[in-house]
């Protein structure tokens, strides 16, 4: 079950059921199944505090993923800074919704087991993101 929350921001996330179906399809194509996944939309300051407290990093980011997966069931918390997603969408001349979807699927790919610590891993992660973004239902784009 994928659930959506907000922390310290006013943000309305639309299309939850379509997103759930899409993310379930992503998981299944990767040989996994979704368990308990929480997507928490928050602000830059909120995510910065999480980054400092739990990861010891002192910088802004668009997503932090906490992985609680076991076996072939993926579970975890995806903390997403709406502020940084908006900034990145502007910077890359991307649509905000597309950038948000990229970040969400990025978090799910982390739960599946993909990493992005090396250039090679980052390239593979980006290729998987693009693959799954292209497979969103037409009415979802």
């Amino acid at each position: 079950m994928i659930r959506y929350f907000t922390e310290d921001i006013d943000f309305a996330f639309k299309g939850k059921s379509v997103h759930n179906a899409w993310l379930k399809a992503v998981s299944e194509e990767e040989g996994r199944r979704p368990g308990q996944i929480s997507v928490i939309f928050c602000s830059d300051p909120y995510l910065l505090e999480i980054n400092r407290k739990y990861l010891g990093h002192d910088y802004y980011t668009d997503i932090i993923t906490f992985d609680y997966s076991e076996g072939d069931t993926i579970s975890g918390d995806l903390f997403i800074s709406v502020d940084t997603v908006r900034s990145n969408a502007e910077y890359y001349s991307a649509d905000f919704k597309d950038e948000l979807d990229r970040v969400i699927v990025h978090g799910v790919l982390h739960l599946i087991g993909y990493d992005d610590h090396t250039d090679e891993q980052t390239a593979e992660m980006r290729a998987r993101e693009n693959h799954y973004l292209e497979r969103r239902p037409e009415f979802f784009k």
Side-chain angles (χ1 to χ4, degrees), residues 6 12 17 38 45 92 96 99 114 118 136:
T6 58
S17 61
S38 295
Y92 293 111
F96 170 76
E99 186 65 18
Y114 289 90
T118 68
R136 292 177 296 179

Side-chain angles (χ1 to χ4, degrees), residues 3-14:
R3 299 182 317 167
Y4 302 88
F5 305 93
T6 58
E7 285 292 337
D8 88 328
I9 62 167
D10 184 23
F11 179 70
F13 183 68
K14 297 182 184 340

Side-chain angles (χ1 to χ4, degrees), residues 7 33 42 58 76 98 120:
E7 285 292 337
R33 63 179 179 208
C42 60
D58 191 21
D98 289 340
E120 185 177 281

Side-chain angles (χ1 to χ4, degrees), residues 31 60 62 84 91 110 132 138:
Y60 294 104
D62 52 2
T84 296
Y91 181 80
H110 273 305
Y132 290 117
E138 287 302 314

Side-chain angles (χ1 to χ4, degrees), residues 38-95:
S38 295
V39 180
I40 303 102
F41 300 107
C42 60
S43 68
D44 271 350
Y46 189 90
L47 196 56
L48 177 60
E49 185 56 33
I50 289 173
N51 211 5
R52 288 174 176 157
K53 183 175 181 179
Y54 295 102
L55 302 177
H57 301 152
D58 191 21
Y59 54 81
Y60 294 104
T61 188
D62 52 2
I63 185 169
I64 294 176
T65 304
F66 292 98
D67 187 357
Y68 313 126
S69 301
E70 292 183 12
D72 68 346
T73 302
I74 62 168
S75 298
D77 295 328
L78 311 178
F79 286 87
I80 297 173
S81 169
V82 174
D83 298 332
T84 296
V85 170
R86 275 200 181 97
S87 297
N88 287 346
E90 281 184 36
Y91 181 80
Y92 293 111
S93 299
D95 180 76

Side-chain angles (χ1 to χ4, degrees), residues 27-42:
S27 302
E28 289 174 351
E29 185 171 320
E30 294 287 337
R32 305 293 173 84
R33 63 179 179 208
Q36 297 294 323
I37 299 172
S38 295
V39 180
I40 303 102
F41 300 107
C42 60

